[in-house]
Amino acid sequence: MSDSLNAPEAPRPVDGPLRHARAKGEPRFPEGPKADPAGSHFERRIRSFQPRRSRVTAGQADALQRLWPKWGLDIDGQRVVDIAELFGNDNPVVLEIGFGMGEATAQMAAAAPETNVLAVDVHTPGQGNLLNLADQNGLANVRVGNGDAIILLREMLTPDALDGLRVYFPDPWPKKRHHKRRLIQPEFLTLAAERLKPGAIVHCATDWEPYAEQMLEVLTAHPDFENTQADGGFAPRPQFRPLTRFEGQGLDKGHVVNDLLFRRVQHEVQPRTGA
């Protein structure tokens, strides 16, 4: 695996539209991700994410401009995505929701080039960083989605389109009044189950123990999933999930990280009986 996956990105020279002051209403990245791809086409619901604004480096901006038309997907909810066309092959596809700065995503993609990764986030610097890492390390199996993963699942993917789902360190929304914003809820799992093939693995990880307990409770109770652990509890961190800097910082503070690995079950179709 290339050491460059964890190395600081080298700044790239930025020319043209990335330097000039933008006029009011001018897109931040004319060839890059849209600010709000779904717009007002869909009902306003309680969001499980909160867009973060932070500085985009020159290298990230360059990657967004150069690579978004090739490897980016704006989640607008206006079309059904042809997964094979998006990746250019029929390899298995794993959806990753919330990838931060993309270091772990890039490492996992490099370690399993036969698996396609559709990584979705709303954090522009992270989108640019993951595109940059994919470019520097020749990762042709990574595509970056911009927008609401719920709209992607509900409007843009077909049944059985996915071979796996990863949700690593989602926002725990620790205040009780915000628990309704947590992503891992029965309704979300029902939607995800419709897009996951039988046998597909849902892999969640969190360093917020109350959220881990809720995840375990909700996944265990859902009829479309079964725990891969015989004791019905949390799973050891699998070797294929890298230890990220964020996770390392949490461990240094005494946080406990829990992994959950659940399998999409195949329900037997009961034959109809005659009247």
Side-chain angles (χ1 to χ4, degrees):
M1 186 181 300
S2 171
D3 289 337
S4 64
L5 286 174
N6 290 312
E9 63 175 28
R12 294 174 179 264
V14 182
D15 299 313
L18 293 179
R19 282 187 176 277
H20 80 275
R22 289 181 293 125
K24 185 177 180 180
E26 182 181 352
R28 188 178 186 187
F29 304 103
E31 301 299 325
K34 296 179 181 177
D36 185 9
S40 59
H41 297 298
F42 298 96
E43 73 280 4
R44 307 307 294 177
R45 59 177 179 78
I46 297 173
R47 295 290 178 89
S48 61
F49 60 88
Q50 186 170 0
R52 293 171 293 141
R53 299 288 178 255
S54 57
R55 188 177 66 88
V56 177
T57 68
Q60 294 162 2
D62 176 60
L64 288 166
Q65 286 285 77
R66 291 187 301 108
L67 301 171
W68 190 261
K70 178 182 178 183
W71 289 340
L73 173 68
D74 275 312
I75 300 171
D76 58 12
Q78 300 300 300
R79 61 190 177 95
V80 174
V81 176
D82 186 323
I83 292 290
E85 181 180 332
L86 180 67
F87 286 94
N89 58 56
D90 293 317
N91 291 346
V93 178
V94 172
L95 173 64
E96 181 172 349
I97 300 177
F99 55 80
M101 295 306 291
E103 293 97 339
T105 305
Q107 290 183 53
M108 295 174 73
E114 72 285 354
T115 297
N116 294 326
V117 181
L118 176 54
V120 175
D121 209 309
V122 293
H123 188 222
T124 308
Q127 294 167 351
N129 201 56
L130 179 53
L131 287 170
N132 209 16
L133 290 170
D135 186 36
Q136 291 177 356
N137 294 278
L139 305 179
N141 58 330
V142 174
R143 299 293 182 269
V144 180
N146 169 50
D148 190 339
I150 299 294
I151 293 176
L152 174 69
L153 286 164
R154 192 181 64 200
E155 308 291 343
M156 300 179 69
L157 295 180
T158 58
D160 296 346
L162 300 173
D163 298 86
L165 173 65
R166 300 170 183 162
V167 184
Y168 298 156
F169 304 99
D171 194 326
W173 295 103
K175 295 180 180 179
K176 187 173 182 180
R177 69 176 184 271
H178 291 156
H179 285 184
K180 60 190 176 183
R181 296 182 179 274
R182 290 175 172 176
L183 179 64
I184 305 303
Q185 306 277 7
E187 298 80 5
F188 169 77
L189 293 175
T190 297
L191 175 60
E194 295 173 355
R195 302 297 180 248
L196 289 164
K197 295 175 183 175
I201 296 295
V202 173
H203 184 190
C204 302
T206 179
D207 66 337
W208 193 261
E209 290 186 83
Y211 194 10
E213 294 290 347
Q214 179 190 325
M215 288 181 179
L216 182 61
E217 179 181 349
V218 172
L219 278 159
T220 300
H222 201 285
D224 290 330
F225 297 97
E226 64 180 5
N227 200 332
T228 63
Q229 304 304 297
D231 63 359
F234 298 110
R237 180 177 69 86
Q239 291 185 345
F240 62 78
R241 184 176 72 75
L243 184 69
T244 65
R245 283 179 292 178
F246 172 84
E247 183 176 356
Q249 291 168 0
L251 292 172
D252 290 342
K253 296 175 183 176
H255 295 184
V256 175
V257 176
N258 286 296
D259 284 74
L260 302 94
L261 291 164
F262 277 71
R263 182 180 295 108
R264 170 74 163 95
V265 299
Q266 172 73 69
H267 295 295
E268 294 185 7
V269 178
Q270 298 296 327
R272 291 185 177 183
T273 58

